[in-house]
Amino acid sequence: VQLQASGGGLVQPGGSLRLSCTASGEIYTAIGWLRQAPGKEREGVSCINSRDGRAYYGDSVKGRFTISRDNAKNTVYLQMHSLKPEDTAVYYCAAAWDQGPYVVLTTGVVDYWGQGTLVTVSS
C-alpha cells in the first residue's frame, strides 16, 4: 500500500484544517492518522475501519476531529476543528493490513506509512 498525505499547514488557534490520505495498492483493514510533536512520543490521533467505517479517536482530539473515508476514491480524511497549539505536530497517515483501527490507534503498530504532513497551530 502506498499512502499519499496532504493538507497540512499553518493555522491559528481555533481554526480548522482537513488532511487527506489517498491509498493505492493492497487492501488494508485500518487506516488513520498518528502524529508526533517535537520532543514527544508518537500519538494515535484517529483510525477507521475501511470496511465498516467504525472510527476511534485519541482522547486529546475527541469532539474536535472527525475521520471519514471515501472508498471510491481510496481516500481518508481528517477534519480538524478547534485546533490548539498542542495539536502542532507532523501527522502521518498509516494503514494496517489485518489489524483493527483500535489496535492501530493505541499501539501505533502499522504495516504501511505515508509521508508526514506538518500541522502548525500558532498565532
Side-chain angles (χ1 to χ4, degrees):
V1 174
Q2 293 183 332
L3 304 172
Q4 182 68 40
S6 62
L10 173 65
V11 63
Q12 292 186 344
S16 300
L17 274 178
R18 190 178 78 159
L19 305 182
S20 300
C21 177
T22 300
S24 61
E26 299 177 13
I27 297 173
Y28 49 87
T29 296
I31 186 167
W33 300 88
L34 297 93
R35 68 186 182 186
Q36 188 161 23
K40 295 187 177 181
E41 293 187 354
R42 187 175 57 203
E43 174 188 19
V45 177
S46 183
C47 197
I48 190 169
N49 187 302
S50 64
R51 298 180 177 86
D52 63 20
R54 185 170 300 184
Y56 297 87
Y57 297 90
D59 289 340
S60 62
V61 307
K62 283 180 181 177
R64 301 188 296 122
F65 292 9
T66 302
I67 192 169
S68 61
R69 77 199 196 286
D70 184 336
N71 285 347
K73 296 181 178 180
N74 288 330
T75 299
V76 63
Y77 303 97
L78 184 70
Q79 180 66 56
M80 305 184 292
H81 293 300
S82 302
L83 284 161
K84 305 175 182 179
E86 50 263 44
D87 293 317
T88 296
V90 177
Y91 285 68
Y92 296 93
C93 180
W97 184 64
D98 62 357
Q99 294 185 113
Y102 182 76
V103 174
V104 171
L105 184 73
T106 56
T107 68
V109 176
V110 302
D111 297 303
Y112 311 102
W113 289 97
Q115 90 284 7
T117 185
L118 177 63
V119 173
T120 303
V121 185
S122 175
S123 55

